[in-house]
Amino acid sequence: MTTNVTADTRQAFERLRRLSAELDGISVDWQRFAQLAEQSGPAPDRVGQIDALAAVLVGAGLQRADTQRAVGLLLALPAAEAAIASASPQAFAALLRDLAADGDAEGLALALHEGPADPHRYAAHVRELVESIGVADCDDLGALKVRAVMAAAKPGCVIGEELAGAIVDAIDAWARLKVETPEQRAIREAFNEARRLMDLHGDRDPRTMDAVIKALEWQDPGCCARMLAQGGLTMPAPTHCAEDGTRLYSLDSIADALGANVGELQAVAEDMEAVGLDMCRTVAGRLH
């Protein structure tokens, strides 16, 4: 069950994500903006800060009509970043695990960027450790990566071993997601949905079982029929199809294959329909 601190961290992260996305959508030369902002120096008060930001944004190519919105986003961003920076190690680790489980590569990239480890220093430390130890002697690459993360803490931050492990796992998850094929993504999402329904309804609920079967078939087409065959059961051939091409089976043929009563199967189908599963389809044609 999600704890309050983890829920608060996720809410703060989604606010940061929204602000970052809105800023990314603003048509401005951010490199030029950074140069001008550095030249302008600190403002004496909030009003001066607003005026200075507006002037810098215009100097970086933003239309004057868009400055009020852009200034508001820029002023809100530090608080959103601070909310993530102040999260407990446990809450930040939980956030990384949630994003990885969601297959959220963009979210992982943003969270890792805002986290306590400096990505550039981490990469440099990994290279240094590998060079000093030797690739052949790196029996536990995971432990080496954890050490590199702990050594790559940003100024003022301390990264414990548990959080470092979560960061390493998140980096590895991000790397996998970046090279994931559409088919691999579909399989992962199918299993994620099955796990979600299992947590929500239990493993005996029709919705859970339907999702598990779909995920298994995505991963290994025909595996369910093979498992039934190993148990001495052979599913009948479909006889009809729906408008979308879905193959349909008659209750009579399924009952014969399973040695079950048609009335009992009808009751099961109605129970599945009652929870939102589309079991009784309109026949559009016969298969030949």
Side-chain angles (χ1 to χ4, degrees):
M1 182 176 179
T2 304
T3 63
N4 288 334
V5 65
T6 302
D8 291 343
T9 302
R10 185 60 186 255
Q11 185 177 23
F13 176 75
E14 293 304 333
R15 173 171 169 73
L16 174 61
R17 189 208 297 262
R18 187 176 66 254
L19 290 171
S20 299
E22 289 189 49
L23 282 168
D24 287 343
I26 292 176
S27 180
V28 66
D29 182 342
W30 290 110
Q31 185 173 1
R32 176 64 175 158
F33 170 85
Q35 294 172 345
L36 293 174
E38 185 176 358
Q39 293 171 9
S40 66
D45 52 33
R46 187 172 179 81
V47 173
Q49 185 182 17
I50 292 172
D51 291 341
L53 280 174
V56 169
L57 285 164
V58 171
L62 186 65
Q63 297 295 318
R64 288 191 179 276
D66 297 327
T67 56
Q68 183 175 358
R69 172 171 168 263
V71 167
L73 292 171
L74 287 169
L75 291 176
L77 191 63
E81 292 173 332
I84 299 301
S86 63
S88 70
Q90 295 81 6
F92 187 70
L95 172 66
L96 293 176
R97 287 193 294 269
D98 286 350
L99 293 170
D102 292 342
D104 188 348
E106 291 184 0
L108 281 171
L110 177 60
L112 289 167
H113 179 268
E114 297 296 332
D118 184 320
H120 300 293
R121 290 183 61 197
Y122 165 72
H125 280 298
V126 169
R127 285 194 298 271
E128 290 173 3
L129 287 170
V130 170
E131 289 171 0
S132 64
I133 298 173
V135 177
D137 297 325
C138 291
D139 294 330
D140 192 346
L141 185 58
L144 183 148
K145 290 179 178 179
V146 167
R147 288 166 53 193
V149 167
M150 295 173 70
K154 293 177 181 177
C157 296
V158 176
I159 303 174
E161 188 172 347
E162 184 176 349
L163 178 56
I167 292 173
V168 168
D169 290 343
I171 293 171
D172 291 345
W174 173 84
R176 288 193 301 271
L177 289 168
K178 293 300 289 183
V179 297
E180 189 177 54
T181 66
E183 181 182 9
Q184 290 169 331
R185 183 176 300 110
I187 293 170
R188 174 178 53 76
E189 290 175 351
F191 276 101
N192 284 347
E193 176 63 6
R195 282 190 290 268
R196 185 188 72 82
L197 291 171
M198 190 174 295
D199 291 341
L200 192 62
H201 303 298
D203 59 0
R204 304 299 298 173
D205 187 272
R207 289 162 289 192
T208 302
M209 290 188 283
D210 178 69
V212 168
I213 290 171
K214 288 178 178 176
L216 290 172
E217 286 293 325
W218 263 111
Q219 185 179 52
D220 183 11
C223 70
C224 293
R226 291 194 298 274
M227 285 189 286
L228 287 172
Q230 290 173 0
L233 298 174
T234 302
M235 287 301 293
T239 55
H240 296 77
C241 65
E243 287 186 0
D244 61 2
T246 300
R247 298 186 172 205
L248 303 178
Y249 304 80
S250 71
L251 278 179
D252 287 335
S253 63
I254 295 175
D256 287 341
L258 299 178
N261 180 278
V262 174
E264 293 175 350
L265 289 183
Q266 179 68 46
V268 171
E270 290 174 356
D271 288 343
M272 296 174 79
E273 283 275 339
V275 295
L277 297 176
D278 192 9
M279 302 301 298
C280 302
R281 303 289 296 274
T282 300
V283 173
R286 176 179 288 275
L287 296 174
H288 299 289

